[in-house]
Amino acid sequence: MDTGGGRAYDVAVVGGGAAGLAGALTLARARRTVVVLDAGSPRNAPAEHLHGYLGRDGAAPAELLATGRAEAAAYGAEVRSAAAGTVLAADRAAEGGFVLRCADGSSVRAGRLLLATGLADELPDVPGLRERWGRDVLHCPYCHGWEVRDRPIAVLGGHPLAVHQAQVWRNWSDRVTLLAHTRRPGAQERELLAALAVSVVEGEVTGLTVGAGGLTGVALRGGRSVECRALVVAPRFSARAGVARSLGLPVTGVERDGVRIGTCLEADPATGATALRGVWAAGNVTSPTDQLAAAAAAGVRAAVAINAELIEETTRQALDAHRARQAPGAQ
């Protein structure tokens, strides 16, 4: 079996987004041998800029990742991308640690794993949403609200949390419309929307209208259209947990206000430790609603926990060796 030239790493980081690269940087600075396996499909790739990340606000997502790779590499971390960084599955190694099988046929051995595989946004079944996703089809006001402030914003209904979304986005614009779509708001919901001056438009959304400057509105069944410059949707956050599942780690549902909004990999919120010894997880794969800065922070916390365990392991080995040397009859 090809093990990448026979080298065994202290830690393999699966995923090269903010969480994975922050973890790799921290571990490399702790003098650990680290490999980052990055499939190269970041969740925020459609967005032109990232926001809310102190010191990097307005940067292009690709720029942040390129900088992160370079910083981690400067301390000795190895970054593999594309097929070489696409992990198909992971297994326990007979001699300890883990073996990861990659899409290019190579394998990587590591003593510890940090899973930072992120999530996929599953969008409502409306034509045109995917093409505009991250540009003017949005879900997070803290990521995009400032950029569409005071503009006409429509919220796609059909989801139990759509009224809540309209309430939140009303903070950025007084021109918010709730599109009932496939779920008509109840009486109490309509009262709340009326109090916020949020209009409700009945009718199923069948598509988007786009002009030279971007989104101009949505089309309803029957030929009616509604003007908007941003369309807010509620995606389903699906954890990219194929590697975790190959190790037998559980994936659980995520709920908000009693509504299931996606799935995540279970991990300790403080350290990122999973149910499987030697495996940690960080970022959106464990906490789907975290923003970029929180995901990066989670990567750092997990890296510190991994390094602490490696230090404890080294200390135990040194103590055992010391006691063996001091034992009666030792040479």
Side-chain angles (χ1 to χ4, degrees):
M1 176 182 288
D2 176 9
T3 59
R7 181 181 184 184
Y9 299 87
D10 292 329
V11 185
V13 179
V14 185
L21 289 173
L25 175 63
T26 302
L27 286 162
R29 283 178 52 81
R31 309 191 72 179
R32 300 301 176 184
T33 56
V34 183
V35 61
V36 178
L37 301 170
D38 180 14
S41 55
R43 179 190 177 202
N44 62 357
E48 293 182 357
H49 304 97
L50 58 89
H51 295 287
Y53 197 146
L54 188 63
R56 303 294 295 173
D57 187 78
E63 176 189 339
L64 177 71
L65 296 182
T67 301
R69 292 187 199 106
E71 289 177 347
Y75 291 98
E78 180 182 343
V79 180
R80 302 186 186 183
S81 59
T86 302
V87 181
L88 302 178
D91 304 286
R92 283 273 196 191
E95 65 275 18
F98 303 88
V99 177
L100 298 96
R101 290 175 275 129
C102 300
D104 68 346
S106 66
S107 298
V108 171
R109 290 187 295 121
R112 305 292 190 278
L113 299 183
L114 172 55
L115 304 181
T117 46
L119 58 82
D121 296 297
E122 299 177 8
L123 301 182
D125 188 19
V126 173
L129 291 188
R130 178 59 64 183
E131 291 78 6
R132 307 301 305 176
W133 178 239
R135 298 160 68 185
D136 37 34
V137 174
L138 314 168
H139 85 282
C140 175
Y142 299 99
C143 301
H144 303 286
W146 176 264
E147 284 64 44
V148 297
R149 66 193 185 281
D150 300 327
R151 298 181 186 179
I153 299 171
V155 177
L156 182 67
H159 190 279
L161 296 178
V163 171
H164 173 72
Q165 285 184 304
Q167 175 186 353
V168 172
W169 281 84
R170 180 64 177 78
N171 182 77
W172 280 265
S173 176
D174 60 4
R175 304 163 69 187
V176 177
T177 300
L178 175 66
L179 306 169
H181 192 41
T182 58
R183 181 182 180 274
R184 301 183 65 183
Q188 290 185 335
E189 292 174 320
R190 287 179 182 273
E191 181 184 30
L192 183 151
L193 294 169
L196 296 172
V198 173
S199 58
V200 178
V201 175
E202 305 290 348
E204 183 179 351
V205 177
T206 58
L208 311 182
T209 56
V210 180
L215 184 69
T216 59
V218 298
L220 305 180
R221 190 172 302 282
R224 185 182 176 189
S225 64
V226 177
E227 179 194 7
C228 65
R229 294 296 181 271
L231 177 62
V232 176
V233 304
R236 186 177 187 274
F237 306 122
S238 182
R240 291 174 174 166
V243 178
R245 287 191 177 96
S246 71
L247 290 166
L249 286 168
V251 175
T252 189
V254 178
E255 292 189 357
R256 171 174 285 179
D257 299 333
V259 177
R260 186 175 174 119
I261 62 172
T263 59
C264 73
L265 176 61
E266 294 182 337
D268 182 86
T271 66
T274 71
L276 182 61
R277 184 172 178 81
V279 181
W280 284 258
N284 285 146
V285 71
T286 68
S287 185
T289 59
D290 275 356
Q291 294 183 61
L292 200 61
V300 173
R301 288 196 299 271
V304 170
I306 292 170
N307 191 56
E309 183 175 283
L310 288 169
I311 289 172
E312 287 296 323
E313 180 178 76
T314 302
T315 302
R316 286 194 302 272
Q317 292 171 347
L319 185 59
D320 289 344
H322 173 75
R323 287 172 174 170
R325 290 192 299 270
Q326 299 303 313
Q331 296 297 322

